[in-house]
């Protein structure tokens, strides 16, 4: 059960929030000539990274505001929250060395549960 | 079906069958606070806070999670442009008129919800602990001081909690909940208070249910 | 049985002056308050308490706490309250406690299941995987029933648990897990800072390892251990922000310092003494700023042939039973150790009056101090030796000892030594379960031959033995420091904490000599050296797993079941990993460990459910008219969280008949529906119209105040998401309705667009769903009735036309009346402030009586709308249906954007052969199809896969059309009107149907209902 910091209400339990999918995907202005591929890009395609993802959340049980969050999906670490319309802040995160790898620490995967010889502390 | 008549107009709050209940002395008390005027105000405080104050005598809370009380009227922060306005029952119409004229040039919405929500007063030295059996909010005095308002889940029902008053360790919370959730929350709060001697409350339950599809007469 | 032959003459923290009685397997025994069931049984020399899972081997008490793997019994005589798989080492004794053995039949001593042991060689590692593979054959008929009957441990309680349980939330600054010396210092230090502290101790009393020491040989600042603990406890009790929770296990460490605690509030009390106002158990959901893990260390057993006899106990447990509970595990104990801690156990026992049969140490070099002390006490020493066999059934009675050669083989000769308990020590390992659950990284400590906390991931620190700091003085200092640092990290400067001076500190375990499996003179296939005592996994099983390629820890675990079961291998896992490392010839750090999962030990479902049971399980949302519905015989159905009347059967009327009557009355006289649950949203602002234009598929610019319009709302994918009627209150003010189930979803979606996509639109939304109680009155008599109940109101449908709304009053109470209809009949929907809902409903029913009014439920409502061909979102749509699929293209505007518009032109959504909503009429008018029935083209279905044309979404018997009716989504349905297709009936022969338009009332009126062909009527 995560703690999420609502930009308005402060730290609250995950159970008060609703997930809103990937952030910063603007709804395109309606154009007659928009191709199916362009529309599909907006409608279906998501980055789904193992790493830093900007995503939308709504404080459903509280202030009912939508806001954005940067989350490290490799560790579930919440790196930043910011309001709609604001630019995402620069953050650092412990990321997997390869796209399918594990973060050096904080992963729920068993692969990183022991410090291996020669591994820097 | 003729066993009862409509009669004269009669108002009923959702918990009208429930009497106030109390635990051991100096612990916990529950009561429905019936029939108050309640409005939801949607307004950009920058744009209309002053006009609203002039119309109602109520300043908007200066920061999130805060409340402002003036006599028997109060404003509770629900969101950056959303507030719960409380007043005595008889002032509802006057308040609505005052806001309509005071804010006629400002984009706003002032919606009466007197009947949508009811208020359960949870008071006593054990009120914080009783409520923490239902909510993940931190209700410790260091984290939730007098005047604080927070929207959260209480058991499985959404509501707004307001710490209206506290004296000598006895907190007086008001929990604003939907009409349809009131009975559930009353029962859950009473159950939470069993530790301090709140009486067990007979649940409203046992309705005959039928969920399967029926497309013909019974065989 | 009045005597307790193994009760030590003095010592222990039990109340010796009070005798309480308990029964085990029907026999009554005395014990003392302060005992556990284990210590009370041991006081009677009773070691065998259980049978193992697989081979039904006798099992005794290995450990003195929750880590004990196999000493499991069932507590409680009441079948509704009984608690299976309770560790005897944890269960506190109370007067009248009833315990019984499990996993044996007919009794613990005579257990027919023990025959499994004789067949052990036929049940090797991976037995299940090797047996239950391939197509179902012999194993389904032969093995499976036998194994299912034999499997399982203990019996679950029967339904109807009379006890209460509770789950509560708590926030704190510092959570200290473990009430031993380090944890006490941490709690004290953090507590003195003023921080909010929760101290959790798994057992009934604080003190931990300090209570497992001879009180005459250990002092803190000159105070005996129990007194020192009591003093700290007293100081903690004076701190208002400190909560001390004994009998509480921190069982799970989750994200963001969320820790689950399981408090056994009254399991230690006689059932008749349990306090009614308190729960039996409590779940604490704690959110801590900082956590201090002071969970101590666990001692490992040794792996040797026949090491599973009752009476083989951990040396540390023997000390705990002696000093904490005043019980001698044996009068003639033998000690078998690979480190120094076995020796101090021997000395303790000797001083308490036991005759030490031998100290057997696998090491060649031992502490000269200990050798001298052993000599002084006259204890025979077998250095560089090992136990190669044991004897005894209910309890060990002899060990065979042989010399251990440098090359790892055993010598000849040796001796058989009589003993009544064998205290073993394989060295201590930090208890890192919670640390690992927190996603911290473990470090391998070669000296301890164990893992200890390495890198933290969450805001947590370990202290004391849990951190590998075994020396008592160091553990105290580390605990104090952890408390200070944790409080500081949470924002509280700590006061001074002086670490007490320790007298009588022990030197620790010294050099430990790890041997994965102790050698034996026996050939490997005859050796039975237990690694997991609960799951009956031997070294041989693990060796086989490695040979068969399952050498990774997680594979070996699953192949052999080592470390599974209720104990999750707390004390045995390290031996298993060491064994795998040795077999693979690899460093233990390479072999690693299995995952430490939550929960640390089994937690009852009742505690997890807490108070959210029965009437408190879920909100049951009801309308202001609910009591009336109940009193008038309604049967209800759940609609989301709402309870809605489905029909009001009268006496001698079944549900079907009631629905038919209600639907007939609504069209022939007058019906009334409680429509209060419909979602309602107040929409206001200068851009409200533009907003509606964008969220609905149709146009809203011209809707005049006083008028209403039906709208269809799509997702951005073009699929129908919700529908409802919106009324124009004023130019910039609208009253929107949504479906009952869609109310919250629609409001969230609209807020989403306003807040994130169209911040430029000046529109505010406020839910008013329950501000209004709603009665929907319909039928030919409805205008007359509405005219009577409203004040000075002209309901004339000509002057107050369809899709208009008016403000009115009812006995002076302001109401809104909408001329909207979901039935096709003349309808009036009266909205009144909810507190008047009950009164309004009663008034309508009373005044409607002379018009023949009948209340109707949701079933008749569904039927009435289907007669008219109106859709229900979520029943006739399923998230894959566009407005065109519903053949409602009329509601899709040509110009201007709206949510989902572009998607309607995607190549897939623009296909002409999509499934479309049509009417379906069975040729047999009395036959009602099942909803979900498939529509196919041919009477005789070809072999699967059968090409489906679609499926039935709604199906009823309609009293007003006079036959069965159905709606269906059918491929190119719009072009198939009049076609003959077939509907499946779940295994029965298909039936012929006609495709029609959806408005069955109009079809009837226009005499367009298809006539049944003769063949259908004839059957
Ligand atoms: Zn918020």
């Amino acid at each position: 059960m995560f703690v999420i910091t609502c930009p308005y209400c402060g730290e609250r339990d995950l159970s008060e929030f609703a997930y809103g999918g990937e952030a910063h995907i603007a709804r395109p202005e309606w154009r007659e000539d928009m191709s199916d591929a362009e529309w599909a890009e907006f409608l279906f395609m998501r980055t789904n990274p193992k790493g830093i993802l900007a995503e939308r959340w709504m404080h459903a049980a509280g202030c009912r505001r939508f806001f954005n969050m940067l989350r490290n999906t490799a560790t579930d670490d919440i790196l930043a929250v910011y309001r709609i319309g604001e630019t995402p802040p620069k953050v650092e995160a412990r990321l997997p060395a390869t796209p399918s790898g594990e973060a050096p620490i904080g992963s729920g995967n068993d692969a990183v549960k022991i410090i291996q010889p020669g591994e820097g502390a | 079906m003729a066993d009862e008549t409509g009669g004269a107009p009669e108002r009923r709050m959702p918990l009208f069958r429930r009497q106030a209940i109390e635990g051991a002395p100096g612990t916990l008390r529950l009561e429905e606070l019936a029939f108050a005027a309640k409005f939801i105000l949607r307004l950009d405080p920058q744009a209309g806070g002053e006009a609203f104050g002039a119309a109602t005598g109520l300043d908007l809370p200066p920061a999130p999670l805060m409340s402002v009380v003036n006599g028997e009227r109060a404003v509770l922060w629900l969101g950056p442009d959303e507030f719960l306005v409380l007043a005595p029952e008889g002032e509802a119409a006057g308040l609505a008129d005052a806001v309509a004229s005071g804010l006629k040039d400002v984009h706003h919405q002032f919606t009466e919800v007197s009947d949508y929500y009811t208020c359960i007063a949870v008071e006593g030295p054990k009120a914080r602990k009783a409520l923490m059996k239902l909510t993940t909010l931190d209700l410790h005095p260091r984290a939730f001081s007098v005047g604080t308002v927070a929207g959260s889940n209480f058991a499985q029902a959404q509501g707004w909690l307001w710490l209206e008053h506290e004296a000598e360790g006895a907190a007086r919370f008001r929990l604003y909940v939907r009409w349809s959730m009131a009975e559930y929350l009353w029962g859950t709060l009473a159950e939470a208070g069993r530790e301090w001697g709140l009486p067990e409350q007979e649940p409203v339950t046992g309705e005959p249910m039928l969920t399967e599809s029926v497309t013909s007469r019974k065989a | 049985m009045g005597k307790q032959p193994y009760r030590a003459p003095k010592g222990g923290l039990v109340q010796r002056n009070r005798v309480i009685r308990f029964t085990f397997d029907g026999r009554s025994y005395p014990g003392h308050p302060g005992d556990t069931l284990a210590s009370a049984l041991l006081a009677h020399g009773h070691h065998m308490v259980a049978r193992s899972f697989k081979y039904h081997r006798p099992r005794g008490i290995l450990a003195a706490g929750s880590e004990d793997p196999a000493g499991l019994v069932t507590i409680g005589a009441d079948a509704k309250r009984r608690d299976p798989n309770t560790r005897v080492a944890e269960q506190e004794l109370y007067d009248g406690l009833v315990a019984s053995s499990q996993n044996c039949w007919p009794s613990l001593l005579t257990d027919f299941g023990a025959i499994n042991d004789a067949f052990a060689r036929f049940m090797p590692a991976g037995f299940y995987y090797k047996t239950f593979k391939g197509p179902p054959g012999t194993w389904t008929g032969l093995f499976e029933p036998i194994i299912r009957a034999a499997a399982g441990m203990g019996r679950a309680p029967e339904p109807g648990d009379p006890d209460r349980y509770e789950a509560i939330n708590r926030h704190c600054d510092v959570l200290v897990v473990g009430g031993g010396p380090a944890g006490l210092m941490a709690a004290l230090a953090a507590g003195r800072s003023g921080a909010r502290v929760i101290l959790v101790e798994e057992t009934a009393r604080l003190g931990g390892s300090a209570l497992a020491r001879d009180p005459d040989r250990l002092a803190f600042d000159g105070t005996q251990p129990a007194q020192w603990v009591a003093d700290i406890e007293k100081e903690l009790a004076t701190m208002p922000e400190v909560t001390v929770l004994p009998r509480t296990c921190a069982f799970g460490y989750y994200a963001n310092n969320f820790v689950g605690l399981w408090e056994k509030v009254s399991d230690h009390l006689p059932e008749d003494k349990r306090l009614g106002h308190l729960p039996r158990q409590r779940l604490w959901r704690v959110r801590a700023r900082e956590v201090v893990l002071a969970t101590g260390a666990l001692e490992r057993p040794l792996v040797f042939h026949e090491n599973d006899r009752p009476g083989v106990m951990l040396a540390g447990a023997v000390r705990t039973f002696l000093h904490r509970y005043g019980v001698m595990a044996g009068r003639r104990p033998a000690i078998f150790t690979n480190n120094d801690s076995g020796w101090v156990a021997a000395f303790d026992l000797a001083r308490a009056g036991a005759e030490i049969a031998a100290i057997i140490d696998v090491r060649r070099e031992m502490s000269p101090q200990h050798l001298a002390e052993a000599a002084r006490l006259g204890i025979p020493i077998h250095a560089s030796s090992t136990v190669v066999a044991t004897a005894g059934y209910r309890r060990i009675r002899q060990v065979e000892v042989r010399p251990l050669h440098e090359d790892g083989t055993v010598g000849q000769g040796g001796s058989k030594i009589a003993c009544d308990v064998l205290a073993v020590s394989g060295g201590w390992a930090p208890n890192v379960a919670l640390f690992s659950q927190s996603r911290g990284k473990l470090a391998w400590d070669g000296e301890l031959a164990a893992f200890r906390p390495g890198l933290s991931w969450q805001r947590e620190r370990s202290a004391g033995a849990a951190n590998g700091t075994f020396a008592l003085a160091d553990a105290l200092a580390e605990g104090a420091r952890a408390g200070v640092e944790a409080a500081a990290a949470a924002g509280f400067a700590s006061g001074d904490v002086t670490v007490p001076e320790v007298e009588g500190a022990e030197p620790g375990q010294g050099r430990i000599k790890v041997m994965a499996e102790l050698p034996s003179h026996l050939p490997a296939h005859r050796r039975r050296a237990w690694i997991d005592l609960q799951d009956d996994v031997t070294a041989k099983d693990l060796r086989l797993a490695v040979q068969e390629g399952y050498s990774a820890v997680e594979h070996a675990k699953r192949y052999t079941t080592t470390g599974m079961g209720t104990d999750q291998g707390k004390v045995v896992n390290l031996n298993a990993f060491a064994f795998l490392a040795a077999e693979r010839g690899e460093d233990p750090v390479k072999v690693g460990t299995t995952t430490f999962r939550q929960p640390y030990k089994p937690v009852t479902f009742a505690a997890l459910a807490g108070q959210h049971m029965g009437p408190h399980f879920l909100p049951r949302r009801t309308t202001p008219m609910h009591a009336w519905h109940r009193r008038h015989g309604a049967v209800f159905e759940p609609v989301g969280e709402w309870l809605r009347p489905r029909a009001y059967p009268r006496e001698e009327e079944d549900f079907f008949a009631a629905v038919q009557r209600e639907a007939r009355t609504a069209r022939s006289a007058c019906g009334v529906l409680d429509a209060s649950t419909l979602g309602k949203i107040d929409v206001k602002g200068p851009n409200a119209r533009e907003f509606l234009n964008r969220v609905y598929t149709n146009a809203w610019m011209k809707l005049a105040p006083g008028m209403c319009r039906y709208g269809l709302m799509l997702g951005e994918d073009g699929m129908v998401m919700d529908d409802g009627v919106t009324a124009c209150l004023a130019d910039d003010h609208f009253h929107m309705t949504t479906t009952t189930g869609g109310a919250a979803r629609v409001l969230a979606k609209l807020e989403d667009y306003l807040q994130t996509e169209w911040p430029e639109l000046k529109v505010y939304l406020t839910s008013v769903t329950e501000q209004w109680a709603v009665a929907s009155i319909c039928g030919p008599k409805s205008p007359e009735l509405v005219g009577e109940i409203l004040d000075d109101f002209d309901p004339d449908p000509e002057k107050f036309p369809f899709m208009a709304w008016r403000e009115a009053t009812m006995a002076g109470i302001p109401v809104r009346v909408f001329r909207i209809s979901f039935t096709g009949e003349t309808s009036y929907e009266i909205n009144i402030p909810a507190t008047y809902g009950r009164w309004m409903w009663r008034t309508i029913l009373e005044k409607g009586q002379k018009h023949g009014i009948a209340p109707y439920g949701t079933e008749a409502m569904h039927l009435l709308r289907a007669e008219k061909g109106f859709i229900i979102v979520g029943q006739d749509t399923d998230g894959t249906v566009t407005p065109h699929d519903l053949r409602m293209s009329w509601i899709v505007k040509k110009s201007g954007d709206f949510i989902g518009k572009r998607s309607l032109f995607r190549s897939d959504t623009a296909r002409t052969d999509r499934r479309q909503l049509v009417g379906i009429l069975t040729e047999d008018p009395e036959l009602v199809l099942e909803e979900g029935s498939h529509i196919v083209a041919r009477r005789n279905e070809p072999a699967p896969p059968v090409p489906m044309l679609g499926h039935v979404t709604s199906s009823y018997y309609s009293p007003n059309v006079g036959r069965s009716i159905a709606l269906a989504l059918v491929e190119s349905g719009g072009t198939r009107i009049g076609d003959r297709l077939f509907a499946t009936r779940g295994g029965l022969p298909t039936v012929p149907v006609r495709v029609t338009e959806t408005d069955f009332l109009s079809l009837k009126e226009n005499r367009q209902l298809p006539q049944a062909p003769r063949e259908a009527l004839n059957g």
Side-chain angles (χ1 to χ4, degrees), chain C residues 695-932:
Chain C
V695 301
Y696 282 122
T697 59
N698 47 349
W700 292 80
M701 293 323 257
K702 288 183 185 149
L703 184 69
M707 295 305 290
C708 311
R709 186 163 288 171
Y710 172 79
L712 211 50
M713 205 179 274
L714 311 185
E716 202 67 272
D717 59 1
M719 303 305 160
V720 173
M721 176 195 159
D722 206 82
D723 68 347
V725 169
T726 295
C728 183
L729 304 178
D731 236 3
D732 65 344
H733 198 181
F734 295 83
H735 174 91
M736 174 189 282
T737 65
T738 73
T739 59
T740 296
R745 189 168 60 237
V746 168
L747 182 61
K749 173 183 147 132
L750 299 184
E751 279 289 352
D752 185 353
Y753 276 87
L754 279 177
Q755 291 178 34
T756 69
E757 292 292 347
W758 307 321
E760 74 282 2
L761 289 188
K762 286 187 160 187
V763 179
Y764 282 128
L765 308 174
T766 294
S767 167
V768 289
T769 297
E770 296 179 45
Q771 170 66 17
W772 303 100
V774 180
S776 179
I777 305 171
C778 76
K781 301 286 180 60
S782 62
E784 211 174 322
L785 172 59
V786 168
E788 283 168 32
I789 59 177
L790 298 183
D791 312 330
D792 306 318
F793 191 80
D794 186 355
D796 183 350
E798 299 292 311
K799 292 180 216 152
F800 180 21
F802 182 54
M803 289 311 241
W805 81 273
R806 299 279 182 271
E807 279 182 341
T809 58
M810 179 169 171
I813 312 303
V815 297
R816 290 174 180 173
V817 189
F818 299 86
R819 276 277 286 120
I820 55 180
S821 169
F822 196 37
T823 60
E825 285 300 315
T826 306
S827 293
Y828 301 81
E829 204 180 274
I830 305 179
N831 285 233
I832 196 163
T835 50
Y836 292 106
R838 180 174 172 272
W839 166 78
M840 169 182 74
W841 185 262
R842 284 158 62 152
T843 304
I844 291 169
L845 270 300
E846 184 207 356
K847 299 260 172 77
Q849 227 182 346
K850 64 172 181 287
H851 303 291
I853 197 170
Y856 65 96
T858 51
E859 187 73 13
M861 181 261 278
H862 288 185
L863 165 55
L864 289 163
R865 64 87 206 180
E867 289 176 344
K868 193 64 192 159
F870 292 151
I871 60 155
I872 291 181
V873 172
Q875 175 160 347
D876 301 301
T877 72
D878 59 4
T880 68
V881 179
T882 70
H884 302 305
D885 297 343
L886 294 171
R887 298 197 297 133
M888 290 170 70
S889 304
W890 54 268
I891 203 169
V892 181
K893 61 183 169 244
K894 297 284 181 290
S895 62
D897 191 14
F898 57 84
I899 296 169
K901 178 167 187 180
R902 176 59 186 80
S903 288
L904 297 179
F905 299 97
R906 292 178 54 236
S907 54
D908 185 56
T909 38
R911 275 190 297 123
T912 54
D913 61 346
R914 288 176 64 86
R915 291 183 179 180
Q916 294 170 338
L917 192 73
V918 291
I920 290 286
L921 292 176
T922 48
E923 290 189 355
D924 173 358
E926 295 304 309
L927 183 82
V928 182
L929 295 170
E930 286 289 326
E931 286 171 0

Side-chain angles (χ1 to χ4, degrees), chain B residues 109 115 136 138 140 180 207, chain C residues 171 196 241 620 770 835:
Chain B
Q109 184 186 34
D115 289 24
T136 55
D138 186 355
H140 189 275
S180 60
E207 290 84 355
Chain C
H171 296 253
R196 281 192 270 167
E241 298 301 344
R620 301 160 60 264
E770 296 179 45
T835 50

Side-chain angles (χ1 to χ4, degrees), chain B residues 97-160:
Chain B
D97 289 345
V99 170
S101 58
L103 290 177
K104 67 175 184 300
D105 299 323
V106 186
H107 169 45
H108 77 283
Q109 184 186 34
F110 196 63
T111 311
E112 178 159 12
V113 290
S114 305
D115 289 24
Y116 193 160
Y117 299 93
T118 190
C119 178
I120 302 176
V122 184
E123 50 189 312
K126 301 298 179 192
R128 292 177 188 270
K129 281 194 169 158
L131 282 161
M132 274 192 281
K133 294 183 184 183
L134 275 61
T135 179
T136 55
L137 287 173
D138 186 355
L139 298 184
H140 189 275
R142 288 177 190 165
F144 209 95
S145 52
V146 174
T148 306
V149 185
S152 186
N153 293 315
F154 297 86
Q156 311 225 23
Q158 193 272 339
W160 291 301

Side-chain angles (χ1 to χ4, degrees), chain B residues 1-13 16-17 35 40 42-44 81 107-109 111-116 129 132-138 140 142-143 155-156 178-181 184 187-188 191 194-195 203-218, chain C residues 164 166-171 194 196 241 277-278 282 492 611 615-622 624 626-628 630-632 634-638 641-643 646 654-656 682 684-686 751 762-771 811 833-836 838-839 842-843 846 849 928:
Chain B
M1 216 170 293
D3 56 333
E4 58 214 14
T5 56
E10 182 186 29
R11 295 182 75 188
R12 291 282 202 220
M13 293 302 284
F16 77 95
R17 285 181 197 82
F35 306 124
I40 299 243
R42 300 290 310 260
L43 175 70
D44 175 358
D81 60 3
H107 169 45
H108 77 283
Q109 184 186 34
T111 311
E112 178 159 12
V113 290
S114 305
D115 289 24
Y116 193 160
K129 281 194 169 158
M132 274 192 281
K133 294 183 184 183
L134 275 61
T135 179
T136 55
L137 287 173
D138 186 355
H140 189 275
R142 288 177 190 165
Q156 311 225 23
R178 287 176 173 75
W179 172 293
S180 60
M181 298 287 196
Y184 163 78
T188 310
E191 190 63 19
R194 292 278 295 282
E195 183 175 348
V204 176
T205 183
E207 290 84 355
M209 303 288 287
L210 184 70
T211 51
E212 63 267 34
S213 129
V214 179
T215 50
S216 62
R217 237 168 262 280
K218 271 185 215 143
Chain C
R164 291 171 56 238
E166 191 170 88
I168 70 179
N169 305 294
R170 201 64 98 233
H171 296 253
R196 281 192 270 167
E241 298 301 344
H277 68 281
L278 287 180
R282 206 183 254 143
F492 293 84
Q611 64 272 46
H616 313 300
F617 179 56
L618 271 181
R620 301 160 60 264
R621 303 177 69 180
T622 54
H626 184 73
W628 191 97
R630 278 192 83 161
R631 261 204 313 285
H632 292 82
V635 292
F636 292 82
E637 69 168 338
E641 287 171 335
W642 289 99
L643 278 193
R646 199 171 165 201
D654 70 10
F655 176 80
F656 177 80
D682 193 275
K684 187 167 179 265
E751 279 289 352
K762 286 187 160 187
V763 179
Y764 282 128
L765 308 174
T766 294
S767 167
V768 289
T769 297
E770 296 179 45
Q771 170 66 17
T835 50
Y836 292 106
R838 180 174 172 272
W839 166 78
R842 284 158 62 152
T843 304
E846 184 207 356
Q849 227 182 346
V928 182

Side-chain angles (χ1 to χ4, degrees), chain C residues 208-281:
Chain C
S209 63
L211 306 182
R213 295 282 313 274
D214 184 343
D216 295 331
R217 303 174 71 86
L218 175 68
F220 300 83
D221 283 340
T223 314
Q224 281 205 341
Q227 187 57 49
W228 174 73
V229 172
D231 291 345
I232 293 181
E233 202 170 356
K234 207 188 275 173
E235 183 177 346
L236 292 174
T238 64
M239 300 178 179
E241 298 301 344
V242 174
T243 307
V244 178
L245 297 175
R247 304 187 173 94
T248 302
C249 173
F251 64 83
Y253 199 136
Y254 304 87
N256 301 151
N257 271 1
F258 186 64
V259 182
L261 312 179
W262 179 36
E263 182 189 10
K264 292 193 139 191
V265 182
S266 48
D267 278 296
H268 63 291
L269 298 171
E271 281 174 21
D272 56 346
K273 294 248 168 61
R274 292 182 186 168
L275 299 166
H277 68 281
L278 287 180
R280 177 173 168 186
Q281 297 170 4

Side-chain angles (χ1 to χ4, degrees), chain A residues 3 11, chain C residues 170-177 186-187 190-191 193 195-200 253-259 261 286-294 438 456-462 481-492:
Chain A
V3 171
E11 287 182 11
Chain C
R170 201 64 98 233
H171 296 253
C172 70
D173 299 305
V174 180
L175 170 68
V176 180
V177 182
S193 76
R196 281 192 270 167
V197 177
I198 297 177
L199 170 64
V200 183
Y253 199 136
Y254 304 87
N256 301 151
N257 271 1
F258 186 64
V259 182
L261 312 179
V286 173
R287 182 77 68 179
R289 295 237 162 256
E290 300 288 328
V291 174
V292 176
L293 295 174
S438 80
S456 289
W457 169 242
Q458 300 201 34
R459 297 179 60 159
E460 139 285 325
R461 63 211 77 221
S462 296
R481 196 163 57 241
V484 170
E485 285 175 6
F492 293 84

